[in-house]
Amino acid sequence: MVNSNIRLLAIIMFLYALLSVRAESFYTGNELLERCEDCIYSANISSVSACAYCISHISSIHDAFVDWGFMRPKWCIAEDIMLSELTKTTMDYIHKNPRSKHQYSTNLIANSLIENYPCNQ
């Protein structure tokens, strides 16, 4: 019981430190698409861009929960996959699913990763 409480506290602290966000910090699909297009088509692609930040943190949180045994992997990204490819596949997912543009970026990114990087390959 004590071990599970410590684990829960560690998760809460991790998420708080990692994602100290406010409600207005969440993007919808339209906003995420705009930021991803800026990232892909800009001469200065930076890992601190809003798009890259969203994608990398969703993936990191997923990996942490899998490593801690709280869930099974929903997607499996090979180590040689670059952030630019993840960005392009996320953009493609949003374009192919226009009705999802009102969803929050967290859902869109997760759905894109599940569809494009299944663990059964």
Side-chain angles (χ1 to χ4, degrees):
M1 180 69 176
V2 173
N3 193 21
S4 64
N5 287 339
I6 291 172
R7 186 182 276 187
L8 180 60
L9 180 60
I11 291 170
I12 292 169
M13 291 175 62
F14 172 76
L15 291 176
Y16 181 76
L18 186 64
L19 295 175
S20 58
V21 295
R22 299 178 303 271
E24 67 264 16
S25 296
F26 287 102
Y27 300 122
T28 63
N30 282 326
E31 295 164 326
L32 180 66
L33 189 58
E34 180 181 318
R35 282 160 178 79
C36 289
E37 286 173 347
D38 289 345
C39 179
I40 291 294
Y41 300 116
S42 170
N44 182 18
I45 297 176
S46 169
S47 63
V48 296
S49 76
C51 177
Y53 183 83
C54 288
I55 293 170
S56 66
H57 281 83
I58 294 298
S59 183
S60 295
I61 291 169
H62 168 270
D63 293 347
F65 277 40
V66 169
D67 289 346
W68 293 336
F70 289 120
M71 62 184 269
R72 292 183 179 194
K74 302 292 183 191
W75 59 79
C76 296
I77 301 172
E79 289 184 23
D80 62 337
I81 301 294
M82 304 294 289
L83 187 56
S84 59
E85 181 180 331
L86 297 177
T87 302
K88 288 176 185 176
T89 56
T90 298
M91 290 171 58
D92 288 343
Y93 179 84
I94 295 170
H95 286 297
K96 290 177 185 175
N97 298 283
R99 290 186 175 183
S100 68
K101 288 183 179 181
H102 69 281
Q103 293 180 355
Y104 283 121
S105 57
T106 51
N107 295 343
L108 289 170
I109 292 166
N111 290 341
S112 172
L113 295 174
I114 289 168
E115 182 177 298
N116 292 297
Y117 303 97
C119 291
N120 58 0
Q121 291 184 350

